[in-house]
Amino acid sequence: GRAAGLVSLAGVLAAFLVHILAAAFGLTAVLLAVPFAFGAIKAVGAAYLLWLAWQALKPGGSGPFQTRTLPAHSTGTLLRMGFLTNLLNPKIGAFYLATIAQFVPAGASPLGMGLLLAGVHDLLAVVWFALIIAGASYARRWLANARALRIVDRAAGVTLVGFGVKLALPGH
């Protein structure tokens, strides 16, 4: 539902903040300069994507994308899933490192301007994901159908396998 989508979005936005702070303080540059560190982040990210794919594809299981009533403690789980999915994507950090510095005017605080630009990026993400959440809510009746859920889980699982394998390959 919408509430679950918004909680997941909060996790994604929190990870954006971690990435921008890492870029502003130079940690992202260190990760990119040290191949082992970058490789480790990539490996953990790939493993997490493949775990999500397994949850979606395993026989007889209820995948992570199934519509269901969530117990109260699941808010933390949703927040954590959104956060980890974005945090473990090393390309987000590389994106911030490569783009934010280009827009910091001479003499401006890199941290302050970086946070401002990241805030703009977060605002754009909120709008984009709000549209996705609204669309999913609109399609909820169709998504509540067991056959449709199997199709969504399988499509999402296969997509996540592709992303996980691509992320795990050298040079990506």
Side-chain angles (χ1 to χ4, degrees):
R2 277 186 214 133
L6 292 171
V7 170
S8 297
L9 173 59
V12 168
L13 296 176
F16 278 150
L17 181 59
V18 171
H19 278 294
I20 192 60
L21 289 172
F25 288 115
L27 181 59
T28 303
V30 171
L31 285 175
L32 294 174
V34 178
F36 173 78
F38 186 73
I41 296 291
K42 278 181 54 173
V44 172
Y48 183 65
L49 289 175
L50 292 172
W51 178 82
L52 285 175
W54 168 248
Q55 297 302 308
L57 295 171
K58 69 182 177 183
S62 64
F65 310 107
Q66 300 255 347
T67 301
R68 57 186 166 262
T69 303
L70 298 168
H73 68 277
S74 291
T75 299
T77 300
L78 291 168
L79 188 65
R80 188 171 46 255
M81 285 178 70
F83 181 77
L84 288 175
T85 299
N86 202 17
L87 184 69
L88 295 175
N89 183 350
K91 293 182 181 183
I92 298 294
F95 166 78
Y96 278 141
L97 185 67
T99 59
I100 297 295
Q102 296 177 41
F103 299 106
V104 176
S109 163
L111 179 59
M113 184 58 72
L115 288 173
L116 176 66
L117 293 170
V120 170
H121 182 243
D122 276 6
L123 182 60
L124 292 170
V126 166
V127 171
W128 174 249
F129 286 116
L131 290 171
I132 291 172
I133 292 165
S137 293
Y138 181 74
R140 187 177 186 142
R141 182 178 299 166
W142 178 78
L143 291 171
N145 175 294
R147 183 169 182 263
L149 286 175
R150 281 192 304 276
I151 292 168
V152 168
D153 268 346
R154 286 191 175 75
V158 168
T159 301
L160 288 169
V161 167
F163 287 150
V165 168
K166 182 175 183 198
L167 185 58
L169 292 175
H172 291 91

